[in-house]
């Protein structure tokens, strides 16, 4: 039940490099950057993260679902709307990391119901070029309380429920906006997925989910 989401637009076969979702590129010291004749001389580092959309909702219609979204300030002080996500830890799989990161950053416990898409992009730091790959999933909210108080990194200012059909307009970065559109398409095209994501699909647990 996966809908592929393009990692980047590729006009003329050349990848577009978008800004990283959920934050700004690493700050670059101009003095050190001047000593590097070309970014090609910098070592390349691969990084993998995972996250996605954890959804609550009791309606049978796609617009009846809402996703937990974070509000963060980037390094320039601008407020950004972004999806919860983070680095894999130890021997974690992307799925395990997505569940953990969403729980830590939003306070919501979720279970994965579908793959959503993969974003990959490049950015340059002071001493390296980073190739970032972020795996995204659709999760069913199964309990917890929406809060950023337990985020170990303390990066988010707030967490809010946003209707899935309004999500693309709220998110700050184009790649995450495309993921929101893909999520809505999945919900519209699959009654089975909507049923699996509905809050009353797990009668043995009574989530708080304010």
């Amino acid at each position: 039940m996966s809908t592929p989401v393009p990692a980047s637009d590729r006009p003329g076969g050349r990848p577009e490099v978008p800004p990283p979702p959920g934050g700004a590129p690493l700050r670059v010291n101009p003095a050190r950057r001047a000593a590097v004749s070309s970014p090609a001389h910098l070592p390349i580092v691969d990084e993998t993260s995972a996250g996605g959309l954890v959804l609550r909702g009791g309606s049978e219609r796609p617009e009846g679902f809402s996703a937990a979204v974070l509000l963060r300030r980037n390094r320039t002080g601008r407020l950004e709307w972004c999806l919860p996500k983070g680095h894999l830890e130890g021997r974690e799989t992307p799925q395990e990391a997505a569940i953990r990161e969403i729980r830590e950053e939003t306070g919501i416990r979720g279970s994965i119901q579908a793959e959503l898409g993969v974003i990959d992009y490049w950015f340059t730091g002071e001493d390296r070029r980073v190739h970032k790959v972020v795996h995204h999933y659709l999760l069913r909210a199964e309990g917890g309380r929406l809060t950023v108080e337990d985020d170990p990194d303390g990066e988010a200012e707030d967490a809010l429920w946003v209707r899935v059909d309004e999500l693309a307009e709220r998110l700050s970065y184009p790649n995450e906006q495309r993921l929101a559109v893909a999520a809505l398409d999945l919900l519209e095209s699959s009654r089975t997925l909507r049923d699996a994501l509905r809050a009353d699909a797990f009668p043995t647990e009574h989530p708080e989910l304010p």
Side-chain angles (χ1 to χ4, degrees), residues 23-78:
L26 297 178
R27 291 188 182 277
V28 177
N29 184 324
R32 294 188 62 182
R33 188 171 188 178
V36 180
S37 60
S38 169
H41 292 182
L42 295 176
I44 293 175
V45 176
D46 291 313
E47 292 184 358
T48 304
S49 293
L53 276 69
V54 59
L55 304 181
R56 70 168 186 178
S59 170
E60 295 183 1
R61 298 180 61 81
E63 58 268 25
F65 292 89
S66 297
V69 178
L70 298 177
L71 288 175
R72 290 177 173 158
R73 290 195 184 275
N74 65 18
R75 296 185 180 185
T76 66
R78 182 169 65 92

Side-chain angles (χ1 to χ4, degrees), residues 25 27 82 84 102 129 147 151 186:
R27 291 188 182 277
C82 55
I102 288 172
R129 286 267 292 161
T147 178
D151 180 7
L186 276 175

Side-chain angles (χ1 to χ4, degrees), residues 56 103 106-109 141-147 150 161 199 202 205-210:
R56 70 168 186 178
R103 172 70 182 275
T106 70
I108 301 299
R109 301 189 303 273
E142 297 193 343
R145 178 175 65 90
L146 190 66
T147 178
D150 299 324
W161 291 109
F202 45 100
E205 187 170 356
H206 302 283
E208 300 171 30
L209 305 178

Side-chain angles (χ1 to χ4, degrees), residues 5-19:
V5 178
S8 58
D9 297 326
R10 302 180 181 276
R14 299 175 59 186
E16 173 187 309
V17 183

